[in-house]
């Protein structure tokens, strides 16, 4: 239906003098606006609406993990002219020794062109509006609002409160959607909800949510979705569908969980039968991550499979292959379910692919099923005369499960002959197997072969070798292995703990004390409960009670459990009883000077503060990117650094792999200062005195948590706050001879150290960068794909620098 609009120019000009006009944006011009309209104005008329309204039914879009749009800073700022390799998405070695994700066939993607049935929005035609002045005002709003950001738009709408009503707001919102200004329509809709005359319009909310979902604005789409639910209505199938696709096309730590939650509500609450392309998109996303993350979605994948079966939809072969792949990575493998899925594949005439057979081998390696493993191996050889290296690794594991390490070694030798090379995973597996069964000479020989190969990731095999010598009581071999490890590897806490135990057990307390102090002083190693208990046992055994009490106090401060022999524990209790007034005084939590600097840097980098309703108690919330290799290393250091401030649940971890991607300190009044300075009113802020606190350590931790190195070797720091706060940072950096450039993207400011300035910045912060991260964060040089990559054009028109830093804090995302 067409909506013609031809307005009297003189009437509009007389009206212009009575309505609010933004001082920086003339009525007829939009140079100061964020975007230009996609529809040009007719020369004969000051305002124009499309004569043919666009369809309000969104098209169906298929999610593809590697080609979809994303809202993450990393992808928003990538240079489209340059191919980037993000090595942070490379996954570390999994429990089986192989890092892999499921590979989907190209035929798995599907497109469904059938449109959804959605309610029509009832909106009057412009000529049906009785008053000419109202028509003119609506025309002006339709023209003016999309050109402005949220604060100006709200001011303009507030100025129309005396006359605007529900049908007028609906008209403006629908027009914005017709010209694809969906965010403007969202802001108009949210403004309408705050008015006393607002009546919930299900059709309008549905269309708006569909368009926002289609544009991958998952947060705004979810907001409208929740509004529909809160009104007691069930969203349309299209709303569920588009919201799920929007989540899948976005990045973040919980978007996949939210997409699964919406899918489940779509089935249970809405009673809908999701379409085939939605099933495939969600299933592909579930298996698109590393095995260590995807395996937790097994129940969700099985639920989707049952829905596919009950709906009579076509089930692609990769659905079966993906389910078997997920089952094979479970800690406890359900071989009966795998057999049932394979039988279903055969009944449908689907041949087992090489990847399915490798998954079955993986399952057999965990279950110790040698017969099934050999049958599967024979099938794999008939398909491919040169099986992948992980298939050999799983065969080694199968024989190790039944106590035949010799056969595992034969498989290893056959792999070397057949493939002509040895993978890192194969080295890890065979050394682990031989060490477990105390094959000392063989394990040592293959370890030397591994070192001489020039491959990296030697630490797991060194750990296996040192444990083997520890069990065998070969202390000299263990010490020589430790010294050889120090020559070729970065420091590792587990390796140092094994060596510390050796020194304590052999009575070499002076060297044990030296190693313990080295661990405490090196941020790349640190100390944990095991190290403290080991040195405590050494002090108590040798009668060094004063030093033992100091270690005990450290353990109390860090909330470590004391785990020593009962006889030593009784002796420690007696020593503490003599110093009861001093030792048993409650430990008062207090940040050390180093912790205060670390926390300042982390807060600048994006760490959040959570406060109670009265803002008396505050907690620090740390969140790390699960896909970042840098964050996977950095989180252990932060967990250890603030161990005494964490809750009991977050302190009960045994290794880096067990440390969650997000954890929170206890609520404490000690953090009030940081809450007032960095998070007043629950929002991030740059303190006025920030120029006093930008020490090299603060800058280093800001860089490690919220910074990036570009492919060209430049360094970027990310910060949220006001433009005034950023200017303070710039002046402080300038005073330290650190020249930089600044650019704003949405609510985020990016501070860039380019060229030689990046090198100088690196020299300042390098002493405080973790040893394990120096190669990943060092300025200059070529990117090897292991870094977070950002590409920001600091010479574009939206640049903010020290001389031109007037930027709005409005959200433009």
């Amino acid at each position: 239906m067409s909506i013609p609009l031809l307005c009297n120019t003189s009437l509009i000009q007389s009206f212009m003098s009575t309505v609010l006009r933004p001082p920086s944006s003339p009525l007829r011009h939009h140079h100061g606006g964020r975007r230009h309209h996609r529809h040009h104005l007719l020369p004969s008329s000051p305002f124009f609406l499309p004569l043919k309204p666009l369809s309000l039914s969104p098209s169906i879009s298929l999610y593809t993990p590697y080609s979809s749009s994303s809202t993450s800073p990393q992808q928003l700022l990538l240079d489209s002219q340059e191919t980037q390799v993000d090595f942070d998405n490379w996954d570390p070695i999994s429990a089986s020794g192989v890092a892999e994700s499921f590979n989907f066939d190209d035929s798995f993607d599907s497109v469904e062109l059938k449109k959804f049935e959605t309610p029509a929005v009832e909106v009057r035609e412009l000529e049906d509006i009785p008053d000419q002045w109202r028509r003119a005002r609506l025309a002006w709003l339709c023209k003016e609002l999309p050109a402005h950001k949220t604060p100006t738009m709200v001011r303009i709408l507030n100025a129309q409160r005396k006359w605007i009503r529900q049908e007028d707001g609906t008209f403006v919102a629908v027009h914005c959607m017709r010209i694809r200004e969906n965010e403007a329509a969202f802001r108009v809709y949210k403004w309408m909800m705050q008015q006393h005359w607002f009546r919930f319009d299900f059709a309008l909310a549905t269309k708006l949510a569909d368009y926002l979902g289609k544009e991958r604005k998952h947060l705004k789409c979810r907001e409208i979705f929740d509004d529909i639910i809160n009104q007691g209505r069930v969203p349309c199938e299209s709303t569920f569908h588009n919201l799920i696709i929007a989540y899948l096309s976005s990045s973040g730590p919980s978007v996949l969980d939210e997409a699964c939650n919406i899918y489940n509500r779509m089935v249970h609450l809405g009673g809908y039968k999701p379409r085939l392309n939605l099933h495939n998109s969600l299933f592909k996303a579930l298996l698109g991550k590393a095995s260590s993350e995807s395996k937790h979605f097994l129940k969700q994948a099985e639920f989707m499979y049952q829905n596919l079966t009950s709906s009579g939809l076509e089930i692609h072969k990769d659905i079966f292959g993906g389910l078997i792949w997920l089952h094979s990575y479970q800690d406890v493998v359900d071989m009966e379910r795998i057999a049932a899925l394979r039988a279903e594949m055969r009944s449908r005439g689907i041949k087992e692919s090489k990847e399915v057979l490798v998954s079955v081998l993986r399952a057999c390696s965990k279950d110790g099923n040698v017969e099934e493993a050999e049958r599967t191996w024979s099938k794999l050889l008939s398909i491919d005369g040169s099986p992948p290296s992980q298939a050999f690794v799983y065969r080694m594991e199968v024989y190790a499960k039944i106590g035949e390490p010799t056969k595992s070694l034969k498989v290893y030798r056959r792999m070397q002959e057949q493939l002509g090379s040895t993978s890192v995973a194969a080295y890890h597996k065979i050394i682990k197997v031989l060490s477990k069964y105390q094959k000392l000479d063989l394990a040592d020989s293959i370890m030397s072969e591994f070192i001489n190969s020039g491959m990296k990731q030697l630490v797991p095999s060194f750990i296996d070798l040192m444990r083997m010598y520890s069990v065998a009581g070969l202390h000299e071999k263990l010490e020589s292995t430790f010294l050889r490890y120090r020559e070729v590897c970065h420091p590792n806490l587990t390796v140092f703990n094994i060596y510390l135990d050796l020194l304590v057990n052999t009575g070499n307390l002076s060297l044990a004390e030296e190693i313990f102090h080295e661990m405490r002083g090196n941020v790349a190693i640190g100390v944990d409960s095991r190290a403290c208990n080991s040195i405590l046992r050494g002090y108590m055994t040798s009668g060094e009670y004063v030093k033992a009490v100091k270690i005990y106090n450290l353990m109390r401060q860090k909330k470590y459990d004391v785990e020593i022999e009962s006889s030593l524990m009784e002796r420690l209790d007696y020593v503490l009883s003599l110093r009861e007034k001093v030792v048993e005084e409650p430990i008062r939590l207090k940040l050390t000077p180093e912790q205060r600097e670390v926390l300042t840097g982390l807060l600048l980098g994006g760490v959040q503060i959570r406060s109670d309703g009265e803002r008396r108690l505050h907690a620090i919330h740390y969140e790390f990117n699960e896909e970042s290799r840098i964050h996977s290393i950095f989180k252990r250091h932060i967990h250890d650094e603030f161990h005494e401030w964490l809750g009991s649940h977050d302190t009960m971890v045994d290794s880096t792999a067990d440390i969650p991607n997000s954890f929170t300190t206890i609520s404490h009044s000690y953090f009030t200062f940081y809450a007032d300075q960095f998070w007043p009113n629950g929002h991030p802020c740059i303190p006025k005195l920030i120029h006093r606190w930008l020490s090299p350590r603060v800058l280093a931790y800001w860089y490690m948590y919220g910074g990036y190195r570009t492919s060209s070797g430049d360094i970027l720091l990310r910060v949220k706050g006001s433009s005034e706060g950023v200017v303070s940072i710039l002046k402080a950096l300038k005073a330290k001879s650190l020249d930089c450039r600044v650019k704003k993207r949405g609510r985020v400011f990016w501070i860039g150290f380019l060229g030689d300035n990046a090198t100088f910045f690196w020299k300042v912060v390098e002493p405080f960068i973790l040893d394990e991260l120096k190669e990943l964060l060092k300025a200059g040089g070529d990117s090897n794909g292991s870094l977070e990559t950002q590409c920001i054009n600091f010479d574009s028109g939206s640049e903010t620098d020290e001389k031109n830093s007037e930027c709005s804090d409005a959200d433009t995302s």
Side-chain angles (χ1 to χ4, degrees):
M1 183 180 299
S2 62
I3 305 179
L5 177 61
L6 296 174
C7 303
N8 185 287
T9 305
S10 60
L11 176 62
I12 296 172
Q13 291 175 344
S14 64
F15 165 69
M16 284 160 50
S17 61
T18 63
V19 298
L20 175 66
R21 182 186 309 173
S24 62
S25 179
L27 181 62
R28 293 175 180 263
H29 302 281
H30 303 279
H31 301 296
R34 177 170 52 92
R35 290 176 289 189
H36 294 288
H37 291 302
R38 297 181 177 88
H39 299 271
H40 299 286
L41 302 179
L42 288 177
S44 59
S45 171
F47 305 109
F48 175 71
L49 294 180
L51 295 177
K52 184 177 181 181
L54 299 171
S55 170
L56 292 178
S57 298
S59 61
I60 308 305
S61 176
L62 178 64
Y63 165 71
T64 305
Y66 304 105
S67 61
S68 62
S69 61
S70 176
T71 57
S72 66
Q74 292 90 335
Q75 293 178 341
L76 277 175
L77 304 175
L78 282 175
D79 187 359
S80 60
Q81 303 299 323
E82 182 179 6
T83 302
Q84 303 284 357
V85 180
D86 185 6
F87 197 65
D88 282 331
N89 289 330
W90 176 83
D91 296 299
I93 295 178
S94 64
S96 64
V98 180
E100 57 179 8
S101 58
F102 187 79
N103 297 319
F104 286 88
D105 191 89
D106 292 338
S107 63
F108 185 75
D109 295 336
S110 62
V111 177
E112 209 163 325
L113 300 178
K114 183 181 177 181
K115 294 183 178 181
F116 290 102
E117 294 183 3
T118 56
V121 181
E122 296 182 2
V123 58
R124 292 187 298 178
E125 297 183 14
L126 197 62
E127 62 266 22
D128 293 337
I129 299 177
D131 301 317
Q132 188 175 4
W133 66 269
R134 185 181 293 271
R135 293 200 298 270
R137 291 187 178 189
L138 287 175
W140 183 79
L141 287 175
C142 290
K143 173 176 177 287
E144 198 69 19
L145 290 179
H148 295 287
K149 296 180 181 179
T150 302
T152 304
M153 181 181 292
V154 171
R155 287 198 298 269
I156 293 175
L157 288 170
N158 286 340
Q160 323 303 321
R161 281 179 175 173
K162 291 184 179 180
W163 64 271
I164 198 169
R165 293 295 180 266
Q166 173 93 12
E167 56 273 13
D168 303 319
T170 301
F171 182 89
V172 175
V174 169
H175 169 74
C176 291
M177 284 188 279
R178 283 173 175 162
I179 64 173
R180 296 300 189 265
E181 294 287 351
N182 299 315
E183 290 204 37
F186 173 79
R187 292 167 183 152
V188 172
Y189 179 80
K190 298 302 291 184
W191 181 85
M192 290 170 59
M193 292 181 62
Q194 299 172 4
Q195 309 310 309
H196 65 89
W197 40 256
F198 176 75
R199 303 184 310 276
F200 177 74
D201 188 335
F202 178 72
L204 177 63
T206 297
K207 298 300 181 185
L208 181 55
D210 287 350
Y211 269 114
L212 292 171
K214 181 182 175 183
E215 283 195 345
R216 308 302 182 250
K217 304 291 184 181
H218 67 283
L219 295 178
K220 293 181 173 67
C221 181
R222 179 60 182 269
E223 196 170 338
I224 304 297
F225 176 87
D226 290 338
D227 289 340
I228 297 174
I229 297 290
N230 293 336
Q231 291 292 331
R233 303 293 297 271
V234 176
C236 291
E237 181 183 358
S238 62
T239 306
F240 281 104
H241 182 105
N242 286 305
L243 180 56
I244 293 171
I245 295 297
Y247 270 120
L248 295 181
S249 302
S250 304
S251 63
S254 60
V255 291
L256 187 54
D257 292 323
E258 291 295 335
C260 293
N261 179 45
I262 298 298
Y263 173 88
N264 296 340
R265 294 171 73 177
M266 182 179 186
V267 175
H268 295 304
L269 176 63
Y272 299 115
K273 294 183 178 181
R275 299 187 176 190
L276 178 61
N277 65 338
L278 182 63
H279 278 109
N280 290 351
S281 298
L282 184 54
F283 194 85
K284 193 170 186 177
L286 294 181
L287 275 67
K289 294 181 175 292
S291 56
S292 58
E293 301 172 30
S294 292
K295 70 178 186 178
H296 302 296
F297 292 103
L298 176 61
K299 290 184 178 180
Q300 182 68 39
E302 287 283 8
F303 177 63
M304 293 170 59
Y305 171 76
Q306 296 301 327
N307 289 335
L308 280 168
T309 304
S310 61
S311 301
L313 297 173
E314 178 185 359
I315 302 180
H316 194 274
K317 62 179 182 179
D318 281 345
I319 297 290
F320 292 104
L323 281 172
I324 294 174
W325 183 86
L326 280 175
H327 275 284
S328 70
Y329 273 108
Q330 301 305 304
D331 296 330
V332 179
V333 179
D334 188 349
M335 294 300 294
E336 293 183 0
R337 179 57 181 159
I338 292 178
L341 289 170
R342 296 177 71 188
E344 181 67 19
M345 290 178 66
R346 290 192 293 270
S347 67
R348 293 172 179 261
I350 300 175
K351 295 183 178 180
E352 292 179 326
S353 65
K354 180 174 68 174
E355 189 156 23
V356 169
L357 295 175
V358 171
S359 296
V360 174
L361 270 177
R362 186 185 305 113
C364 293
S365 70
K366 295 183 176 183
D367 193 55
N369 192 333
V370 178
E371 295 180 359
E372 183 60 37
E374 289 302 324
R375 284 195 296 267
T376 304
W377 177 256
S378 299
K379 291 182 181 179
L380 188 59
L381 290 178
S382 65
I383 294 177
D384 187 356
S386 180
S389 60
Q390 60 263 37
F392 288 95
V393 174
Y394 299 140
R395 287 192 73 204
M396 294 183 217
E397 179 66 18
V398 168
Y399 288 118
K401 283 280 186 181
I402 61 174
E404 296 189 14
T406 305
K407 289 189 177 181
S408 296
L409 183 61
K410 289 181 180 178
V411 173
Y412 169 76
R413 295 302 183 191
R414 182 179 176 184
M415 181 190 69
Q416 289 182 313
E417 296 173 0
Q418 194 165 346
L419 301 183
S421 62
T422 307
S423 65
V424 172
Y427 275 123
H428 286 171
K429 181 57 64 177
I430 192 61
I431 292 174
K432 186 179 186 67
V433 170
L434 295 176
S435 299
K436 178 180 178 181
Y437 289 97
Q438 293 292 301
K439 304 294 182 180
L440 306 181
D441 295 336
L442 287 173
D444 189 67
S445 173
I446 294 179
M447 186 68 204
S448 299
E449 181 184 322
F450 189 12
I451 295 173
N452 295 332
S453 68
M455 295 181 180
K456 304 298 182 182
Q457 303 169 26
L458 300 169
V459 174
S461 295
F462 269 115
I463 291 174
D464 291 329
L465 213 60
M466 291 175 69
R467 285 173 175 167
M468 175 185 70
Y469 290 134
S470 178
V471 172
L474 301 176
H475 299 156
E476 292 182 359
K477 291 288 291 183
L478 194 156
E479 185 170 11
S480 64
T481 302
F482 175 76
L483 296 177
R484 184 166 53 164
Y485 150 81
R486 298 198 70 170
E487 295 175 357
V488 296
C489 296
H490 289 297
N492 178 269
L493 177 61
T494 303
V495 173
F496 271 79
N497 274 336
I498 296 174
Y499 185 57
L500 182 63
D501 288 340
L502 167 69
L503 297 176
V504 171
N505 293 336
T506 56
N508 193 345
L509 189 60
S510 59
L511 184 55
E513 189 175 17
E514 181 181 332
I515 290 294
F516 182 81
H517 289 314
E518 179 183 350
M519 295 169 67
R520 287 195 68 186
N522 191 335
V523 294
I525 309 174
V527 295
D528 59 359
S529 177
R530 175 180 174 181
C532 290
N533 275 289
S534 182
I535 196 68
L536 176 63
R537 184 172 64 253
Y539 284 143
M540 292 301 300
T541 303
S542 60
E544 297 279 357
Y545 299 130
V546 175
K547 294 180 179 180
V549 170
K550 290 181 179 179
I551 294 296
Y552 175 76
N553 289 336
L554 172 65
M555 296 177 68
R556 289 185 63 209
Q557 182 182 0
K558 292 289 187 180
K559 298 181 180 178
Y560 293 148
D561 293 332
V562 177
E563 300 173 355
I564 57 177
E565 293 82 353
S566 57
S567 59
L568 296 180
M569 192 68 211
E570 292 176 0
R571 198 183 307 172
L572 177 62
D573 290 336
Y574 174 73
V575 172
L576 294 175
S577 65
L578 299 178
R579 304 167 54 89
E580 183 176 0
K581 293 183 180 180
V582 177
V583 176
E584 294 303 324
E585 181 180 350
I587 296 294
R588 294 184 179 180
L589 289 175
K590 184 178 180 180
L591 290 173
T592 64
E594 291 78 10
Q595 286 177 324
R596 290 198 290 268
E597 287 188 278
V598 170
L599 184 56
T600 299
L602 295 177
L603 288 168
L604 287 171
V607 163
Q608 301 178 12
I609 296 182
R610 297 178 176 179
S611 307
D612 60 7
E614 299 178 353
R615 290 187 63 81
R616 293 183 178 178
L617 299 177
H618 312 273
I620 309 297
H621 178 70
Y622 305 95
E623 190 160 331
F624 299 88
N625 184 356
E626 62 184 355
E627 297 180 351
S628 170
R629 186 182 175 199
I630 293 173
H631 275 201
S632 66
I633 299 171
F634 189 54
K635 70 178 181 180
R636 183 191 64 79
H637 169 65
I638 297 301
H639 190 275
D640 293 342
E641 183 72 21
F642 294 92
H643 189 279
E644 67 271 24
W645 291 93
L646 302 180
S648 57
H649 175 73
D650 289 324
T651 57
M652 297 174 62
V653 294
D654 297 326
S655 64
T656 301
D658 296 327
I659 298 176
N661 290 315
S662 62
F663 48 85
T664 307
T665 66
I666 58 174
S667 296
H668 202 281
S669 59
Y670 194 89
F671 298 123
T672 301
F673 170 79
Y674 296 94
D676 293 341
Q677 294 291 327
F678 289 92
W679 278 78
N681 304 319
H683 298 287
C685 175
I686 299 175
K688 293 182 179 179
L689 299 178
I690 189 61
H691 59 281
R692 299 184 180 179
W693 305 333
L694 292 180
S695 65
R697 190 191 302 272
V698 169
L699 294 175
Y701 278 83
W702 182 5
Y703 180 30
M704 286 187 285
Y705 185 76
Y708 303 93
R709 194 192 80 174
T710 67
S711 58
S712 59
D714 298 330
I715 290 175
L716 307 180
L717 299 180
R718 179 180 184 273
V719 67
K720 285 186 177 182
S722 65
S723 56
E724 293 79 7
V726 173
V727 170
S728 297
I729 293 177
L730 293 180
K731 291 180 179 179
L733 294 174
K734 184 71 174 179
K736 300 176 185 294
S737 300
L738 293 172
D739 293 329
C740 57
R741 307 285 293 278
V742 181
K743 187 170 184 179
K744 186 178 181 184
R745 295 266 183 151
R747 294 180 179 178
V748 177
F749 289 91
W750 293 91
I751 300 176
F753 299 89
L754 313 180
D756 293 338
N757 294 324
T759 303
F760 188 72
F761 176 85
W762 175 253
K763 291 180 179 178
V764 172
V765 302
E766 183 181 9
F768 303 97
I769 300 292
L770 301 186
D771 289 341
E772 297 164 285
L773 299 182
K774 286 184 177 180
E775 290 299 321
L776 302 179
L777 295 173
K778 184 178 180 180
D782 297 328
S783 172
N784 61 0
S786 63
L787 309 177
E788 299 275 8
T789 55
Q790 298 286 344
C791 190
I792 300 179
N793 181 12
F794 284 91
D795 294 322
S796 64
S798 59
E799 177 190 85
T800 303
D801 57 25
E802 195 172 7
K803 297 180 180 180
N804 181 21
S805 58
E806 295 179 0
C807 295
S808 171
D809 294 326
D811 183 13
T812 60
S813 61

